[in-house]
Amino acid sequence: MLRYILRRLLLLPLVALGVTFLLFFLTQRLSPEMRASLYIKDPRQMGALEEVIEKYGLRDNVFKQYGRWLSSALHGDLGYSQSANMPVAQAIKEYLPATVQLAVVTIVLVVFFGVWFGVVSAVKKDKWQDVCARLLSVGGFSLPIFVLGLLLLMLFYGKLGWFPPGGYSVSTDVIVHSPSFHPYTGFLLIDALLNGNMTVFWDVLRHLVLPAVTLCIGSFALMVRVMRSSMLEELGKDYVRTARAKGLPEHAVVYRHAGKNAIIPVITLAGIQFIRLLGGTVIVETIFDYPGIGRFGVTAAQQLDIAGIMGFSLMVAVLFVLGNLLSDVLYTAVDPRIKLSE
């Protein structure tokens, strides 16, 4: 297994190089003057465009420019994000924890409800429970996520005022940035507990509800369908019939035997969905004004922030490679019979 993991990790630099070079090549379609304007913070400096072009070598060939960017990136310098008004590395460090919190809460809901509904649907095949589960999954899968998000926002915030948008309230912002609040991990939910401040904890959690539910409904539909299909396949196999013939309780047959094997495809799906969430849930974070990495990526793209786009894309590429690797390794934890290829 160790050789397999090392071999997959060796692919990580190649994937990162491919993604970043492709994006860097696309940005070269912009004129040097347009790219030079990104380095100017004061409008009065617009007359010095030619000096900026010479200073940063914006007329050099794409390979030379990419080499300079890559050299800086290897030293931890991903450039300065004009959209976030801070270095790209610092912007990722600041925005990513909020997205991680949202992704963790969402994936827990997705896996729990997806697996539960999928198992019930398979066990009660063609009965009313199965019909309801399939209707929910089809409805959730068909409803556009931006429509669902706006409906939930209008109902639960616009009308009821229960779950506001954003990352946290103004009062929480004051507490978080006060000297008495220690940011131990950077994750507000955990830091609030470590600081013993339940007011901050419940406020941050309250702001997480609508984005998490919106993402959960859109993602759990696919989880239900995959779990139901896998469970039906396992329930029709000989070892399940043998277990029932031996007189094992039905819940033991379903959950201990069939369920353990049926959940393997779900691990792959959950891993991919979790990494997709970490990569930034662009639409949801924009709708709910959530201060995550997805909103940073959108802002960078809207403002043509090349350094921000490059840093965001590099982070997503790395996360996808690591996430797929983690999914493969988890296979052996769930089913020891599966061996990773050496």
Side-chain angles (χ1 to χ4, degrees):
M1 183 189 295
L2 181 60
R3 287 177 58 190
Y4 174 83
I5 294 174
L6 291 176
R7 190 164 64 246
R8 289 287 296 272
L9 289 177
L10 288 175
L11 293 175
L12 182 57
L14 297 178
V15 174
L17 282 172
V19 170
T20 54
F21 180 76
L22 178 60
L23 288 170
F24 201 89
F25 179 78
L26 292 174
T27 61
Q28 298 306 300
R29 302 304 92 197
L30 302 174
S31 67
E33 288 76 17
M34 293 178 67
R35 285 181 281 124
S37 65
L38 300 174
Y39 294 92
I40 295 177
K41 301 178 182 178
D42 190 340
R44 291 174 295 182
Q45 297 176 334
M46 290 299 292
L49 278 178
E50 200 59 41
E51 295 179 12
V52 174
I53 292 173
E54 291 297 326
K55 178 181 178 181
Y56 293 101
L58 300 181
R59 296 194 191 279
D60 295 339
N61 65 69
V62 62
F63 296 101
K64 194 171 182 179
Q65 292 185 57
Y66 180 72
R68 284 197 297 266
W69 178 85
L70 184 61
S71 176
S72 299
L74 291 175
H75 289 86
D77 181 12
L78 296 174
Y80 189 85
S81 172
Q82 299 289 339
S83 60
N85 292 318
M86 64 180 74
V88 174
Q90 181 182 341
I92 293 175
K93 182 179 179 181
E94 182 171 319
Y95 290 114
L96 186 57
T99 298
V100 172
Q101 287 185 154
L102 176 58
V104 170
V105 172
T106 301
I107 204 64
V108 169
L109 294 175
V110 167
V111 172
F112 177 79
F113 287 107
V115 170
W116 182 53
F117 274 96
V119 171
V120 170
S121 180
V123 174
K124 304 293 184 180
K125 182 183 177 183
D126 295 331
K127 296 182 180 179
W128 68 268
Q129 296 95 327
D130 182 29
V131 174
C132 290
R134 282 189 287 175
L135 284 175
L136 284 174
S137 64
V138 171
F141 191 76
S142 304
L143 187 63
I145 196 168
F146 66 91
V147 174
L148 176 62
L150 289 173
L151 288 174
L152 292 177
L153 187 63
M154 287 188 293
L155 175 61
F156 290 100
Y157 176 63
K159 187 171 183 178
L160 300 176
W162 291 353
F163 306 112
Y168 44 79
S169 62
V170 176
S171 59
T172 295
D173 183 65
V174 173
I175 297 173
V176 168
H177 292 94
S178 66
S180 60
F181 191 90
H182 301 287
Y184 295 104
T185 65
F187 302 100
L188 278 181
L189 283 176
I190 298 175
D191 288 343
L193 292 175
L194 293 177
N195 281 271
N197 195 319
M198 297 306 295
T199 301
V200 172
F201 176 82
W202 289 116
D203 183 64
V204 173
L205 190 62
R206 189 164 62 107
H207 284 76
L208 274 172
V209 170
L210 288 186
V213 170
T214 302
L215 290 169
C216 176
I217 292 175
S219 301
F220 115 103
L222 184 58
M223 187 75 69
V224 172
R225 296 173 68 179
V226 171
M227 187 64 194
R228 179 183 184 274
S229 176
S230 181
M231 193 69 181
L232 284 174
E233 182 180 351
E234 294 299 325
L235 289 174
K237 290 184 176 179
D238 291 338
Y239 75 91
V240 172
R241 287 191 286 267
T242 302
R244 284 171 171 163
K246 289 181 177 180
L248 290 178
E250 185 64 16
H251 70 273
V253 173
V254 171
Y255 293 101
R256 191 180 305 170
H257 296 279
K260 187 175 181 180
N261 294 323
I263 206 171
I264 293 176
V266 172
I267 294 176
T268 307
L269 181 60
I272 293 173
Q273 288 186 334
F274 182 63
I275 299 304
R276 179 180 60 82
L277 293 171
L278 287 182
T281 51
V282 174
I283 296 176
V284 171
E285 289 186 5
T286 302
I287 290 174
F288 293 101
D289 195 28
Y290 190 78
I293 197 68
R295 200 180 69 174
F296 165 69
V298 170
T299 305
Q302 289 175 335
Q303 299 185 19
L304 203 58
D305 178 7
I306 295 176
I309 295 171
M310 293 291 290
F312 175 77
S313 303
L314 177 62
M315 181 208 69
V316 172
V318 171
L319 286 175
F320 263 97
V321 173
L322 294 178
N324 287 328
L325 174 60
L326 181 61
S327 296
D328 291 342
V329 172
L330 284 177
Y331 283 160
T332 58
V334 175
D335 191 347
R337 296 172 300 174
I338 299 176
K339 300 296 181 182
L340 298 178
S341 174
E342 295 291 338

